[in-house]
Amino acid sequence: MSATTMTAVPPDLAGRDCLTVSAFSPEEVQGLIRHAYWLKEQKKAGKHYAPLTDKTLAMIFDKSSTRTRVSFETGMAQLGGHALALNRQELQLGRGESVEDTARILSGYVDAVLIRTFQHELVEQLAENASIPIINGLTDLHHPCQAFADVMTLAELKPGRDDLRLAYVGDGNNVLHSLAEAAALTGIELVAATPPGYEPDAAIWQQAQALASTTGARLHLTHDPREAVADADAVYTDVWASMGQEAEKEKRQRDFDGFIVDASLMNFARSDAVFLHCLPAYRGLEVAAEVMDGPQSVVFQQAENRLHVQKALLVSLLVGNG
């Protein structure tokens, strides 16, 4: 998909939830990316576009956040709306009010809820009981908003490619889960290398494989980073210990020995390969500083695209194309 194929018309997702990438069709994901690129061009041109005037987004954070909070709050403001940043302790959830009651109450106050938390089941429970769109800002199983930005970035950097090969090196975590679903829906070949015992969730990977079979995408798993990176157009990594896994940090550093994305590993990729990271990054652990700060790194373009793709998601879920 070419990023230059942009449109002012968002996909009509009005009233729907965004819990996983796989909740959407290939056409809906492509429409979302095209609209995100149009929004990016409008912002660069200094043009005002405010379809979310008088709309309010409630943002619940059980996990700390930089990119998710700032991009969604800024995005709502740029689209004419308003965002409320909350944490569990500021809500009656922190004193035992049920998720069901909270969902119903918020549905009467705001137009959508973004939640960034640990258990994916909590987000599903919120969506089941709310009458407004629920957006998954990250759970232990999925990170759909990040994957949309990843696909947008690849479309910008490698336009029109129907044979794109993406290598992922690291933990089989929420980022890889959503990346696999996004690759499957957009026809990208994804080769993921994880240490033994750190493979992605089997059910999620199988579902992504099933999606890939309908689009012509190919998904592969290996334990060899060099095999994954060989001839890759893009190389992606994430932290080895995510939030909530701090106690495992030393063990994970031992288990992930040999999985650092450094210059020698990047040499197995194509000469014009780019480096991706969802951030935050820890130089000297999952990525060498020479790669993170080198000419192949596009991590800050990737991070900026979180803003544009999330604006497109907000427009699509809150007003659609009507």
Side-chain angles (χ1 to χ4, degrees), residues 153-154 157 166 234-237 274-278 298-299 302:
T153 305
L154 290 171
L157 296 169
L166 171 63
V235 180
Y236 196 133
T237 193
V274 296
F275 172 73
L276 301 167
H277 195 306
C278 57
V298 295
V299 298
Q302 179 188 7

Side-chain angles (χ1 to χ4, degrees), residues 150-168:
D150 300 337
V151 173
M152 177 183 178
T153 305
L154 290 171
E156 282 185 301
L157 296 169
K158 307 288 183 180
R161 290 283 302 277
D162 57 5
D163 59 346
L164 195 69
R165 180 181 171 96
L166 171 63
Y168 176 92

Side-chain angles (χ1 to χ4, degrees), residues 2-9 32-49 78-79 152 155-157 301 304-305 307-309 311-312:
S2 174
T4 57
T5 307
M6 54 185 176
T7 176
V9 181
L32 189 70
I33 302 307
R34 286 193 292 266
H35 190 56
Y37 193 76
W38 180 82
L39 288 167
K40 185 174 184 176
E41 291 297 296
Q42 296 301 295
K43 182 176 183 295
K44 285 167 58 177
K47 295 181 179 179
H48 185 60
Y49 177 64
Q78 291 179 358
L79 294 168
M152 177 183 178
E156 282 185 301
L157 296 169
Q301 178 178 345
E304 180 193 333
N305 282 340
L307 170 65
H308 308 300
V309 82
K311 287 169 65 176

Side-chain angles (χ1 to χ4, degrees), residues 67 237-239 275 277-283 286-287 292 299:
R67 281 150 293 279
T237 193
D238 187 17
V239 296
F275 172 73
H277 195 306
C278 57
L279 303 179
Y282 297 94
R283 294 162 176 81
E286 75 274 6
V287 58
M292 177 70 185
V299 298

Side-chain angles (χ1 to χ4, degrees), residues 176 190-194 199-200 205 209 219-224 227:
L176 178 56
L190 172 65
V191 187
T194 71
E199 296 85 358
W205 187 261
Q209 289 273 26
L219 307 180
H220 314 279
L221 283 177
T222 178
H223 296 309
D224 184 351
E227 178 184 346

